[in-house]
Amino acid sequence: MALHAGAQPRFIVLASTTSTEQSGLFAHLLPQFTRATGIGVRVVALGTGQALDVARRGDADAVLVHDVEAEERFVAEGHGLPRRAVMFNDFMLVGPKADPAGARGGDVAAALARVAAAGAPFVSRGDRSGTHAAERRYWQAAGVDLDARKPAGYRECGCGMGPALNIAASSSAYVLADRGTWLNFRNRADLAILVEGDRRLLNPYGVIVVNPAKHPHVRKDLAQAFADWLVSPAGQAAIASYRIGGEPVFFPNASP
């Protein structure tokens, strides 16, 4: 429904991730939600950890992020209403086509172990994002304790997914990327997908409405309308219809 002339503008602040923004999903998705409801969405795109911190301060009405453990902790602390599954895509290990570390294959832990053993350049987000959290899990599975000693070629950029890919492209480095941002990334230089399909690379996203009992000023009803729309047949269809070069980017997985 359209806003009536003279009505106060209705909008929510959504704390979300650089991957959802840089993949182009929001430019596709949010106008459809606004046309359906008359509610605008102002996105603050950060790493998942930072997005949740924004919501903890009460500076967002909802979050759409991708670190299930951190999301569940956020809810358990009382900052959010129950998490709802929205969609998923996957991570992949990207690196130079020549693959000097011999990382290519279907096992992300084995690939990172080879990158570490070779001392090959690796760009880490290093920004407490959902991607960074996943990357740390994969390094641990590879037998690499980043807190004790980082591999010789490991560098943290403290940046979003797009800038991390740009750094990797300019330095022929390895990097963990989400499929959505990769598909929308044009400055690939000699980078190629080297590892994909490992079940551990699944990347689920959830939406959480900020708890008005903790933060009474939040626009709970508008945020709830957004969460409800995302998991509705219309929202799920909108997610499924977003493609880059004919390839789906996110896969809806809301519970009926």
Side-chain angles (χ1 to χ4, degrees):
M1 59 183 175
L3 288 172
H4 296 294
Q8 290 295 315
R10 301 198 305 157
F11 69 91
I12 63 168
V13 174
L14 175 67
S16 193
T17 70
T18 60
S19 58
T20 41
E21 182 180 57
Q22 292 169 0
S23 68
L25 177 68
F26 283 148
H28 167 81
L29 196 67
L30 297 184
Q32 297 184 57
F33 168 70
T34 299
R35 284 195 298 270
T37 65
I39 301 168
V41 181
R42 300 178 183 178
V43 177
V44 179
L46 302 161
T48 286
Q50 294 170 302
L52 290 171
D53 284 345
V54 166
R56 279 189 181 90
R57 296 193 298 268
D59 292 334
D61 304 302
V63 293
L64 178 62
V65 289
H66 61 131
D67 183 346
V68 175
E69 183 178 321
E71 293 164 52
E72 291 176 345
R73 186 163 58 249
F74 176 83
V75 172
E77 291 169 350
H79 291 288
L81 302 183
R83 175 190 187 274
R84 301 168 80 180
V86 173
M87 61 189 183
F88 67 91
N89 66 0
D90 61 340
F91 295 115
M92 57 192 68
L93 185 68
V94 171
K97 292 175 184 175
D99 190 20
R104 186 177 276 106
D107 185 322
V108 66
L112 288 176
R114 294 187 191 109
V115 170
F122 181 93
V123 178
S124 170
R125 291 272 298 272
D127 64 348
R128 295 177 56 235
S129 63
T131 303
H132 183 216
E135 178 214 306
R136 288 184 64 88
R137 291 194 299 270
Y138 304 146
W139 279 116
Q140 185 175 24
V144 176
D145 184 349
L146 293 175
D147 294 324
R149 183 178 182 183
K150 295 177 173 60
Y154 179 96
R155 298 290 182 273
E156 292 185 347
C157 69
C159 62
M161 193 69 259
L165 280 166
N166 275 319
I167 294 169
S170 65
S171 58
S172 293
Y174 294 85
V175 62
L176 185 76
D178 71 279
R179 187 173 296 274
T181 308
W182 170 255
L183 287 173
N184 212 29
F185 181 64
R186 297 289 174 258
N187 182 34
R188 296 181 181 179
D190 72 336
L191 295 183
I193 299 170
L194 301 177
V195 180
E196 61 182 330
D198 186 328
R199 290 183 61 84
R200 290 171 290 189
L201 293 171
L202 186 69
N203 181 28
Y205 287 77
V207 65
I208 303 171
V209 175
V210 175
N211 189 355
K214 179 80 76 169
H215 304 288
H217 63 280
V218 301
R219 303 169 183 87
K220 187 265 181 184
D221 291 344
L222 302 185
Q224 190 65 59
F226 175 68
D228 290 345
W229 184 83
L230 280 180
V231 302
S232 73
Q236 295 282 281
I239 292 167
S241 69
Y242 181 53
R243 294 172 177 257
I244 298 175
E247 186 171 342
V249 183
F250 295 93
F251 299 88
N253 70 336
S255 301

